[in-house]
Amino acid sequence: MPGRYLLMSLVAVLICCGIHAQEEYALEAFRITANAPVTVTLSHAAQTQKPMYRPPAGDWKPLDARQQEGALSFVLPADAVGETLVLLTQPDWLTLPDGDAPQLAAARIGGVAVTPEGSSITCGAVAAPPAIELTVADAQNPILHSRVSVQLNGMPIEDSGGRVLLQPADTGRSLAISVLPGELLEDRYIVSVSVPDASPARNTLVATVSFSTAPLLRNGGFEAVSADGKPENWSVGSWGGSEPGAYKMSVAEGQGRSGNALCLQGISGRINMVVGQPVDMVAGSTYILSGYAKGDGVGYASLIAADTGDGKQQYDNTGRTAASADWQPFAWELKPQPGKKDYTIYLRNASVGTVYFDDLRLDMKPQ
């Protein structure tokens, strides 16, 4: 018939859950895609019990299926246009309808309990966690632990030497997942864990854990310099109103405590010099920006972040450096606010005079 097609794929999945003596859960389900009602015949089909189907937009409904001489036949109903799920037998352990994925019930990162935000956990800068422990639960159906997959930065975690340990509960509806990342280089990481349930729809939880093993503040000693003379990992900007003054921002080679230093020099007029770097911060935590400064100008830092809703951005300034010909240490507290994103730290000089910065660090303050 012109314009009529049928695409059918059989998904026969044997689900083994650790319940008592490895009792097996078996499901035979079809995904059928058609643009018109069709008749489907399966030879050598097993005896069916309570066959059902779920149309693309709708709930599970009884399916009129008939068996004769070992073959099973059914007509795809008129509302089953598009991708339709067909279940030949509904076993006692299967609960329908079920449109909900498993949920992330608990999490521990490096042995410390954390509170997930939905299905996401943001850790910020941490030492490489020896283990990421997740507990996943499903209220209706067993978890298909044989199909759990874990990726590190988009690749199977085994490719980088990591391992995954699974411990299903007796009920089959809870699963303890231990992700062992292994040795990690200094970088930013996202661990993605996909956990499907055993329902015909394979409702799937995708939980993510993001963290960084790199220093929160990169190139804090200003030793890495790009070809244009600017410090790598830092952006440079300035403004001065309608009558901007004269200024100079540079990496002062060999003028740091050991090596280079950042130099913000206000020469004349009104000027505001900023050198900034985006940083990974966890809202509600307290951080310490520390380092050394000297010069006859007044230096300080700002923490700026965009708002995730309709409120105002975060714009916090620190204390000021004292004028000194010698290097003086400083340590300023920074507190990223909840409901913000894209945290950026700026080093500043907003006046005539010269300020040098060197050996900067950003650390989370112990709680």
Side-chain angles (χ1 to χ4, degrees):
M1 179 180 296
R4 176 175 175 175
Y5 67 90
L6 168 65
L7 174 64
M8 183 176 72
S9 60
L10 169 64
V11 182
V13 182
L14 188 64
I15 306 165
C16 301
C17 294
I19 174 170
H20 302 298
Q22 286 292 333
E23 180 180 354
E24 295 178 345
Y25 292 93
L27 251 198
E28 188 177 54
F30 300 86
R31 290 184 183 271
I32 301 176
T33 300
N35 68 348
V38 294
T39 299
V40 179
T41 300
L42 302 174
S43 60
H44 307 292
Q47 187 70 31
T48 63
Q49 296 180 10
K50 298 187 292 185
M52 305 179 74
Y53 77 99
R54 193 189 73 179
D59 298 323
W60 287 94
K61 302 177 182 180
L63 177 67
D64 184 12
R66 301 183 181 183
Q67 288 185 296
Q68 186 176 7
E69 298 181 355
L72 173 70
S73 297
F74 59 86
V75 177
L76 204 62
D79 63 347
V81 174
E83 185 176 273
T84 299
L85 280 173
V86 174
L87 181 64
L88 296 183
T89 296
Q90 181 180 355
D92 293 338
W93 57 264
L94 178 63
T95 300
L96 292 176
D98 180 7
D100 297 325
Q103 299 296 304
L104 183 57
R108 297 176 66 87
I109 309 298
V112 179
V114 297
T115 301
E117 297 180 5
S119 59
S120 299
I121 300 171
T122 302
C123 301
V126 295
I132 298 172
E133 301 167 279
L134 307 178
T135 301
V136 176
D138 194 292
Q140 295 180 284
N141 282 302
I143 293 172
L144 189 53
H145 69 272
S146 62
R147 297 292 182 91
V148 171
S149 66
V150 179
Q151 293 188 328
L152 179 67
N153 286 358
M155 300 295 293
I157 196 166
E158 293 82 3
D159 290 358
S160 59
R163 293 187 299 143
V164 180
L165 306 178
L166 304 178
Q167 182 60 51
D170 287 347
T171 62
R173 296 182 181 179
S174 180
L175 178 66
I177 305 171
S178 294
V179 180
L180 310 178
E183 295 185 9
L184 299 176
L185 300 175
E186 290 187 350
D187 204 347
R188 295 175 180 176
Y189 294 97
I190 297 178
V191 175
S192 178
V193 183
S194 297
V195 184
D197 67 13
S199 71
R202 296 291 187 265
N203 303 307
T204 301
L205 164 72
V206 179
T208 59
V209 180
S210 61
F211 59 93
S212 174
T213 58
L216 271 173
L217 203 63
R218 300 191 179 199
N219 195 23
F222 307 102
E223 305 305 325
V225 184
S226 61
D228 59 2
K230 297 177 181 178
E232 292 186 1
N233 305 111
W234 297 86
S235 61
V236 176
S238 65
W239 64 93
S242 58
E243 299 181 0
Y247 67 95
K248 181 181 180 181
M249 292 185 288
S250 63
V251 174
E253 296 185 1
Q255 298 184 44
R257 297 179 66 241
S258 58
N260 300 339
L262 175 68
C263 177
L264 304 180
Q265 182 181 11
I267 300 173
S268 64
R270 299 179 59 187
I271 193 66
N272 197 331
M273 295 165 279
V274 296
V275 178
Q277 182 176 148
V279 291
D280 290 324
M281 303 180 92
V282 178
S285 298
T286 300
Y287 294 80
I288 304 296
L289 176 65
S290 61
Y292 293 83
K294 71 175 183 177
D296 58 358
V298 179
Y300 62 104
S302 297
L303 173 61
I304 299 178
D307 190 78
T308 56
D310 298 326
K312 297 181 179 180
Q313 68 176 14
Q314 181 174 357
Y315 199 124
D316 294 339
N317 293 327
T318 67
R320 268 55 173 174
T321 61
S324 173
D326 299 320
W327 289 105
Q328 299 295 323
F330 63 82
W332 296 320
E333 283 195 358
L334 300 173
K335 296 182 179 181
Q337 299 173 1
K340 303 294 186 290
K341 63 178 181 178
D342 301 333
Y343 299 101
T344 303
I345 288 177
Y346 291 94
L347 305 176
R348 312 181 70 152
N349 180 11
S351 62
V352 173
T354 302
V355 179
Y356 292 89
F357 288 100
D358 197 12
D359 293 340
L360 271 68
R361 289 179 53 90
L362 182 65
D363 299 288
M364 182 181 288
K365 185 177 181 179
Q367 297 182 354

